[in-house]
Amino acid sequence: MARQPALSASLQPTLGAHRRLMAGLIPEAGFHAAPLDGVTFMRADANTTPAPVLQEPSIVLLGQGLKRSYLDGEVLAYAPGEILVVALPMQFDCDTVVQPGQPMLALSVRIDMAVVAELACQMDPLPPLPPGAPSAHARGLSVAPMDAALADALTRLLEVLGDAEASRVLGPQLLRELHYRVLQGPAGTGLRALAASQGRLGRVFRSIEQMRADPARELSVAALARDAGMSVSAFHEAFKRVTGHAPLQYLKLTRLHLARSWMLDHDLGAAEAAYRVGYGSASQFSREFKRLFGLPPSAARSQPVVPA
């Protein structure tokens, strides 16, 4: 097994409880919807090779195993005792590492930006950064250690997810607490800045919303930079720092991921999916689809979807 995070001895019993609870809740490999909106169980019984993912804003917590995300030459590995926070839609490669007989067990919670904004308004403001200091939330993808309060909130959430009524009655408040605990920690600073529409993260997020609202629309970097109130060079640098991709590269990847999703979820043919995301050439779409996913669009249904 690859490296494990350094954890305090006091946290080990709680992490053991997470592992046992997740094992009971996720008996089979794959994705499984929890009885609470926005929560997904994930299990992998074998190692996986790096595969491209489009990850929506989410909090990912592992009970067992190791996950690795690859973005712009950087590797972010996370294991039990750590959390992955995806503050805005991110595109990266991801793989899974397991030990024999010990499947990867994880829980993904969709980030509710309305809850984030409400909580952020009630929290003390973040202290200003010293002049010249690098931003702790410059990228939309971050890994951070889990503290005791967050670990306890996760335990209580897992305990109610095994019961539909308890999930319905208690789940929403537990998700709210989970959001709060994340916002309190180092992985939450980006979300708080995003909620306040501050800094490069907020500006890039608004540009991404434009891309996703109408993926077939022709967009130029100059127009996106103007809408963000930045020069073209500053916008390009900020966008790549936050997402790991240049703006037009991110747009192309967004189109390909959305086309694949429509083919899988809505039984669209490749030509129709390509047209909907703005491709005028079916052959170009096929080439770029195969380059990203490793198989042509005609084989999309045979490709496993990989979680972060």
Side-chain angles (χ1 to χ4, degrees), residues 72-94:
D72 194 27
E74 183 179 1
V75 181
L76 288 86
Y78 51 104
E82 295 174 309
I83 59 171
L84 172 74
V85 176
V86 184
L88 68 173
M90 295 287 290
Q91 305 181 52
F92 50 91
D93 288 349
C94 185

Side-chain angles (χ1 to χ4, degrees), residues 54-306:
L54 171 58
Q55 183 70 28
E56 298 297 328
S58 53
I59 304 160
V60 184
L61 309 109
L62 266 65
Q64 187 167 267
L66 182 84
K67 297 286 290 180
R68 294 180 297 205
S69 299
Y70 304 85
L71 180 65
D72 194 27
E74 183 179 1
V75 181
L76 288 86
Y78 51 104
E82 295 174 309
I83 59 171
L84 172 74
V85 176
V86 184
L88 68 173
M90 295 287 290
Q91 305 181 52
F92 50 91
D93 288 349
C94 185
D95 66 8
T96 302
V97 181
V98 303
Q99 287 183 319
Q102 298 181 22
M104 185 279 295
L105 304 170
L107 184 78
S108 176
V109 175
R110 183 179 65 233
I111 291 174
D112 187 329
M113 283 307 300
V115 171
V116 169
E118 181 185 350
L119 292 171
C121 285
Q122 300 177 50
M123 298 172 70
D124 294 334
L126 293 170
L129 289 170
S135 172
H137 48 79
R139 178 153 280 180
L141 184 73
S142 59
V143 172
M146 188 184 301
D147 61 18
L150 176 58
D152 178 64
L154 176 58
T155 301
R156 287 180 281 111
L157 177 61
L158 289 169
E159 287 173 343
V160 306
L161 286 175
D163 181 276
E165 180 180 283
S167 295
R168 185 171 65 252
V169 175
L170 302 175
Q173 185 59 36
L174 289 171
L175 287 182
R176 180 181 174 85
E177 180 184 352
L178 190 72
H179 279 63
Y180 172 68
R181 296 302 180 189
V182 171
L183 288 171
Q184 282 185 309
T189 53
L191 283 174
R192 291 176 67 177
L194 192 57
S197 296
Q198 293 175 343
R200 65 173 69 177
L201 208 64
R203 296 184 183 191
V204 168
F205 180 67
R206 290 193 293 274
S207 297
I208 288 174
E209 285 187 313
Q210 287 188 56
M211 296 179 184
R212 290 163 63 89
D214 185 3
R217 176 186 171 196
E218 288 298 324
L219 289 170
S220 69
V221 176
L224 291 168
R226 183 173 59 253
D227 291 344
M230 304 172 72
S231 69
V232 170
S233 60
F235 175 76
H236 189 281
E237 190 278 331
F239 197 100
K240 193 172 192 304
R241 177 66 188 124
V242 169
T243 69
H245 302 287
L248 295 184
Q249 181 188 24
Y250 183 97
L251 176 60
K252 181 178 77 172
L253 292 172
T254 294
R255 288 171 168 168
L256 292 170
H257 276 287
L258 289 176
R260 181 183 183 224
S261 176
W262 285 336
M263 291 167 66
L264 292 173
D265 298 339
H266 303 290
D267 201 28
L268 286 185
E272 175 66 16
Y275 172 77
R276 289 195 180 192
V277 298
Y279 276 88
S281 167
S283 60
Q284 181 186 1
F285 172 73
S286 182
R287 286 195 304 272
E288 294 183 353
F289 189 100
K290 185 175 182 180
R291 188 177 301 126
L292 178 61
F293 297 112
L295 291 171
S298 58
R301 290 175 181 80
S302 67
Q303 299 167 338
V305 178
V306 178

Side-chain angles (χ1 to χ4, degrees), residues 31-50:
F31 302 118
H32 308 280
L36 187 58
D37 185 46
V39 180
T40 302
F41 296 128
M42 301 182 293
R43 172 171 169 159
D45 292 341
N47 293 343
T48 64
T49 57

